[in-house]
Amino acid sequence: MNVAEAVGAVLASLGVDTAFGVVGSGNFHVTNALAEHGVRFVAARHEGGAATMADAYARMSGSLAVLSVHQGPGLTNALTGIAEAAKSRTPLLVLAGEATAPRSNFRIDQPGLVSAVGALAARVDSAESVVEDTVLAFLTALLGRRAVLLNLPLDVQGAVLPDDVAQAVRELRSSRIADAGEQGSRAWAAVRDLRDRAWRDLGDGGAEPSDPASSDLAEPVATGPAPADSVSELIRLIAAARRPVFVAGRGARDASRDIEVLADRAGALLATSAVARGLFRGNRWDLDVSGGFASPLAAELIRGADLVVGWGCGLNVWTTRHGSLIGPDATVVQVDIDPDALGAHRPVDLGVIGDAAETARAVTEALGAPRDGYRSPELAVRVAQEIRWRDVPYQDESGDGRIDPRTLTIELDDLLPAERIVSVDSGNFMGYPTMFLSVPDANGFCFTQAFQSIGLGLATAIGAALARPDRLPVAALGDGGALMGVAELETVVRLGLPMIVVVYDDEGYGAEVHHFGPEGHPLDTVTFPAADIAAIAGGFGCQTVTVRERADLAGVAEWLKGPREAPLVVHAKVTRDRGAWWLEEAFRAH
């Protein structure tokens, strides 16, 4: 057994079930080793797409995902997706060949490259250390929720393992992590020792993974409720609040029920950051998304709060609409397991270091009798009737061969089955599918927007679809992002994913058009001739529908009836006379 084969075997033993990538000479053997040991390998058409697929898969499955790329250009091609994962604290392990020969044209500073975008770097140094190096990189990614590059030097990959190391790999393979138990082999005892070392290295920044297959690796974590003094202060603030609002982020995705129970006791309204959209779906006091996407009523109510508590939520400029949603006299609290997150984006009156679910339970137990707080029968009626964007009156601007994106998205929302998983690219259009397409819960929405790169949406939808095959995958793209990532349409077809891809086509980079156009700047660099996106998609083997008016959506209804043997690309020619509401808000704050 050589080093490349051992890396694949060890990762499979640790519970890795899916890897994404593009195979070249430098990652050929390790990728084959992953597949040989039962890891599903998803071949993308571009490393950037593969990285984003892995990111989305990890987000929606709750487990670590693996990305496998060639040395040098394979890694540089993947860098935008890795940056998104790093900024989003996605547990992602990147396997990359590494050229170490001084004159190799592939040689670059790979650790420096990924460090520049917020990822961590590790290396398999030798055949003797391959198990320790691989396990530590895996644990750092999983427990710390970090993007980690594991460099595989080309001159090390083929080295043969010493007998004792090869035996350790065989022991790991004979008893995978899911059933190793406390009575496992010496090899598993060594893995647990490495787990403890990883926790010490991570300090307080670690986060308990939700991957059931890896749950026993998380035993040492102390992510319980916050220290008693901060809990007492939080209890006091909630008890004194007349209009409390709780805003939950991705860090509270496993705490929704506990936060709802506390909100009932405190009389609080509920909202989420964009990435956690759907977390409180079905709750009558759910305001949906806080921030630039907030509906007029949601913005009014959040701005009127006298206490805002962020649960696993950064309270960044997007979630607070550049601070305008925090009233001047509001008290602001943040609850997070990561001390570095507290006050990172704005000052807070109280920072609480603790697990969201356990902290919410501790506060609920001590809070006393339920109170009305912000809730009233009159407000319940308003929330039921006005909180959704589709309930906000608007003038339909469809005409001249173009459909209003609001009308398009409302019609799609009514057509699509409720059990869906929506993935959205970046751009002027993005607020329409984000806020006009409903989602069943937080596992029905995948939003890779921490880096705000266009072109990630289609790959996001592929990763999300593979993580949740029980739901209809819906990709919402602008024309710029669709053409940027168009090669992955072949991946959708090859994998047989029954996906709907909606392209909001305004024939340009709408954000720039509507930002610079009103100032009289020339727009030739950000506008383009019409492209027949439907014809392009048809060339990949997709079914297509071109939509210019409501009646054209009949083609979508027909596809939904089945058998859905090929993905459907909806080429929507949307109106383009004005920028989206959320974009206008964002630019006003620049």
Side-chain angles (χ1 to χ4, degrees):
M1 181 182 294
N2 65 27
V3 166
E5 293 165 342
V7 171
V10 169
L11 290 176
S13 303
L14 292 170
V16 171
D17 60 15
T18 303
F20 300 81
V22 176
V23 174
S25 59
N27 65 324
F28 182 85
H29 296 298
V30 71
T31 306
N32 280 348
L34 289 166
E36 177 187 347
H37 292 290
V39 176
R40 173 177 55 174
F41 178 69
V42 180
R45 285 299 185 173
H46 190 279
E47 289 90 350
T52 304
M53 291 175 202
D55 180 4
Y57 180 86
R59 295 181 193 223
M60 294 294 101
S61 68
S63 62
L64 176 143
V66 166
L67 170 67
S68 176
V69 297
H70 182 68
Q71 66 272 16
L75 182 61
T76 58
N77 277 349
L79 201 60
T80 297
I82 294 171
E84 171 64 35
K87 286 179 175 292
S88 299
R89 295 296 294 265
T90 299
L92 175 67
L93 182 61
V94 183
L95 306 177
E98 184 182 29
T100 55
R103 295 184 181 276
S104 171
N105 62 305
F106 290 130
R107 185 174 184 181
I108 57 173
D109 180 6
Q110 294 189 173
L113 189 72
V114 300
S115 296
V117 299
L120 304 178
R123 177 177 286 113
V124 172
D125 288 318
S126 67
E128 290 75 18
S129 68
V130 60
V131 174
E132 178 177 338
D133 295 339
T134 303
V135 171
L136 270 177
F138 169 88
L139 289 171
T140 301
L142 179 71
L143 304 181
R145 290 181 178 168
R146 300 295 297 269
V148 177
L149 167 66
L150 181 60
N151 282 303
L152 306 175
L154 301 182
D155 56 351
V156 172
Q157 287 191 43
V160 177
L161 271 58
D163 290 344
D164 60 331
V165 179
Q167 178 59 30
V169 174
R170 285 192 289 270
E171 286 186 8
L172 294 176
R173 288 301 301 146
S174 67
S175 180
R176 290 169 60 96
I177 190 170
D179 54 13
E182 289 297 331
Q183 305 304 315
S185 64
R186 286 190 302 172
W188 278 110
V191 168
R192 290 188 175 88
D193 288 341
L194 290 170
R195 172 205 58 194
D196 297 344
R197 174 177 158 187
W199 273 117
R200 288 193 297 272
D201 291 344
L202 287 165
D204 292 332
E208 185 173 354
S210 56
D211 176 13
S214 303
S215 59
D216 67 325
L217 282 178
E219 291 163 4
V221 64
T223 57
D229 55 346
S230 58
V231 170
S232 297
E233 180 62 9
L234 179 56
I235 293 166
R236 186 189 70 79
L237 291 172
I238 291 177
R242 297 176 58 199
R243 299 180 306 280
V245 170
F246 294 168
V247 183
R250 189 172 168 217
R253 288 186 65 169
D254 296 327
S256 60
R257 182 56 188 152
D258 297 296
I259 295 171
E260 286 184 281
V261 170
L262 175 58
D264 288 343
R265 184 71 60 88
L269 308 182
L270 295 161
T272 71
S273 64
V275 291
R277 187 178 184 228
L279 191 65
F280 301 121
R281 185 63 70 245
N283 189 297
R284 67 188 299 212
W285 301 106
D286 178 17
L287 304 182
D288 212 343
V289 173
S290 172
F293 294 149
S295 68
L297 178 58
E300 172 193 329
L301 294 173
I302 297 168
R303 194 176 287 118
D306 60 358
L307 173 68
V308 176
V309 183
W311 300 88
C313 175
L315 297 177
N316 60 26
V317 294
W318 304 112
T319 305
T320 65
R321 197 175 283 185
H322 292 268
S324 69
L325 293 189
I326 305 296
D329 299 321
T331 299
V332 180
V333 178
Q334 242 185 303
V335 181
D336 207 290
I337 60 171
D338 182 1
D340 293 337
L342 302 179
H345 295 282
R346 58 152 297 123
V348 296
D349 297 289
L350 174 66
V352 181
I353 303 170
D355 174 77
E358 295 194 32
T359 302
R361 287 197 293 270
V363 174
T364 301
E365 290 172 4
L367 194 57
R371 61 209 68 211
D372 292 335
Y374 214 155
R375 302 178 178 186
S376 69
E378 296 78 16
L379 185 57
V381 173
R382 288 195 68 195
V383 169
Q385 295 179 349
E386 302 175 39
I387 205 64
R388 298 186 306 169
W389 264 107
R390 63 176 294 163
D391 295 328
V392 177
Y394 71 96
Q395 182 176 350
D396 189 340
E397 297 176 355
S398 302
D400 298 324
R402 292 187 172 275
I403 188 169
D404 190 308
R406 295 165 291 188
T407 302
L408 166 72
T409 315
I410 290 169
E411 293 291 323
L412 286 171
D413 190 44
D414 290 339
L415 284 171
L416 299 176
E419 286 297 309
R420 63 186 73 161
I421 184 164
V422 177
S423 302
V424 183
D425 209 335
S426 191
N428 175 64
F429 79 96
M430 63 191 289
Y432 301 115
T434 298
M435 298 311 301
F436 286 83
L437 285 180
S438 58
V439 294
D441 51 40
N443 292 316
F445 188 63
C446 195
F447 198 64
T448 49
Q449 298 293 333
F451 200 31
Q452 283 189 273
S453 172
I454 72 169
L456 305 186
L458 182 57
T460 297
I462 294 171
L466 292 171
R468 293 301 305 261
D470 56 317
R471 292 183 168 178
L472 175 72
V474 180
L477 322 173
D479 54 301
L483 292 171
M484 193 176 288
V486 72
E488 302 306 345
L489 278 179
E490 188 279 334
T491 305
V492 178
V493 173
R494 171 166 37 89
L495 295 177
L497 298 176
M499 182 183 294
I500 288 186
V501 180
V502 184
V503 181
Y504 292 72
D505 182 9
D506 60 4
E507 296 171 10
Y509 296 135
E512 286 66 34
V513 167
H514 297 295
H515 184 37
F516 296 107
E519 298 177 5
H521 295 288
L523 300 174
D524 294 346
T525 56
V526 292
T527 56
F528 301 91
D532 192 343
I533 292 173
I536 294 169
F540 282 101
C542 301
Q543 294 183 31
T544 64
V545 174
T546 299
V547 176
R548 296 178 180 274
E549 58 184 22
R550 271 192 178 96
D552 296 331
L553 287 161
V556 177
E558 284 301 311
W559 183 86
L560 287 168
K561 292 177 183 177
R564 306 182 192 175
E565 293 177 339
L568 177 68
V569 172
V570 180
H571 181 200
K573 306 290 282 189
V574 297
T575 55
R576 52 187 179 177
D577 293 337
R578 68 180 72 246
W581 86 92
W582 72 270
L583 196 65
E584 294 171 356
E585 290 276 358
F587 284 147
R588 275 202 293 270
H590 281 186

XYZ file of all heavy atoms in Angstrom, residues 49 78-79 124 272 304 320 327 340 395 400 432 438 448 539 565:
109
model
N -16.456 24.550 -10.010
C -17.749 23.910 -9.784
C -17.661 22.806 -8.760
O -18.523 22.667 -7.889
N -9.980 26.033 -8.352
C -10.962 25.781 -7.284
C -11.005 26.886 -6.247
O -11.843 26.852 -5.345
C -10.629 24.455 -6.584
N -10.152 27.893 -6.387
C -9.917 28.808 -5.278
C -11.151 29.614 -4.874
O -11.382 29.854 -3.685
C -8.772 29.752 -5.623
C -8.084 30.404 -4.428
C -7.493 29.348 -3.504
C -6.993 31.354 -4.892
N 0.825 15.810 3.894
C 1.285 14.466 4.207
C 2.792 14.468 3.991
O 3.266 14.603 2.860
C 0.595 13.410 3.327
C 1.239 12.046 3.548
C -0.896 13.352 3.629
N -34.501 35.258 10.591
C -33.254 34.545 10.308
C -32.357 35.401 9.424
O -32.808 36.345 8.775
C -33.496 33.206 9.578
O -33.929 33.470 8.232
C -34.524 32.347 10.293
N -38.243 48.153 15.053
C -38.950 48.587 16.253
C -38.609 47.807 17.500
O -39.138 48.104 18.585
N -28.331 43.100 8.994
C -28.864 44.291 9.667
C -29.171 45.420 8.701
O -29.491 46.527 9.124
C -27.864 44.807 10.719
O -26.667 45.261 10.050
C -27.519 43.720 11.721
N -32.608 49.503 15.867
C -33.078 50.792 16.362
C -32.025 51.469 17.235
O -31.199 50.792 17.870
N -14.618 34.714 18.788
C -14.212 35.696 17.787
C -15.398 36.253 17.003
O -15.273 37.299 16.348
C -13.207 35.077 16.812
C -11.883 34.749 17.482
O -11.571 35.362 18.516
O -11.158 33.853 16.990
N -46.902 46.766 -9.128
C -47.416 46.935 -10.481
C -46.635 46.026 -11.407
O -45.427 46.162 -11.558
C -47.271 48.385 -10.945
C -47.839 48.647 -12.342
C -47.767 50.105 -12.729
O -47.474 50.958 -11.904
N -48.025 50.397 -14.000
N -43.740 43.762 -23.769
C -42.695 43.880 -24.787
C -41.771 42.672 -24.798
O -40.555 42.792 -24.966
C -41.879 45.160 -24.598
C -42.726 46.419 -24.741
O -43.654 46.411 -25.583
O -42.481 47.392 -24.012
N -35.287 37.893 -5.878
C -36.587 37.372 -6.309
C -36.752 35.895 -5.978
O -37.712 35.522 -5.292
C -36.794 37.648 -7.803
C -36.744 39.118 -8.130
C -35.735 39.645 -8.927
C -37.690 39.998 -7.612
C -35.673 41.006 -9.208
C -37.643 41.364 -7.884
C -36.621 41.860 -8.688
O -36.562 43.200 -8.960
N -40.955 30.024 -1.828
C -41.006 29.518 -0.457
C -40.158 28.264 -0.333
O -39.901 27.566 -1.316
C -42.451 29.232 -0.049
O -43.033 28.288 -0.929
N -24.893 30.082 -1.126
C -23.436 30.220 -1.076
C -23.058 31.635 -1.477
O -22.618 31.900 -2.592
C -22.763 29.193 -2.009
O -23.403 29.240 -3.297
C -22.891 27.785 -1.465
N -28.338 21.858 -26.143
C -27.154 21.179 -26.626
C -26.526 20.278 -25.587
O -25.834 19.311 -25.933
N -37.230 13.156 -17.122
C -36.071 12.346 -17.493
C -34.843 13.195 -17.795
O -33.715 12.685 -17.784
C -36.413 11.480 -18.707
C -37.453 10.413 -18.384
C -37.853 9.600 -19.600
O -37.650 10.092 -20.732
O -38.355 8.483 -19.409
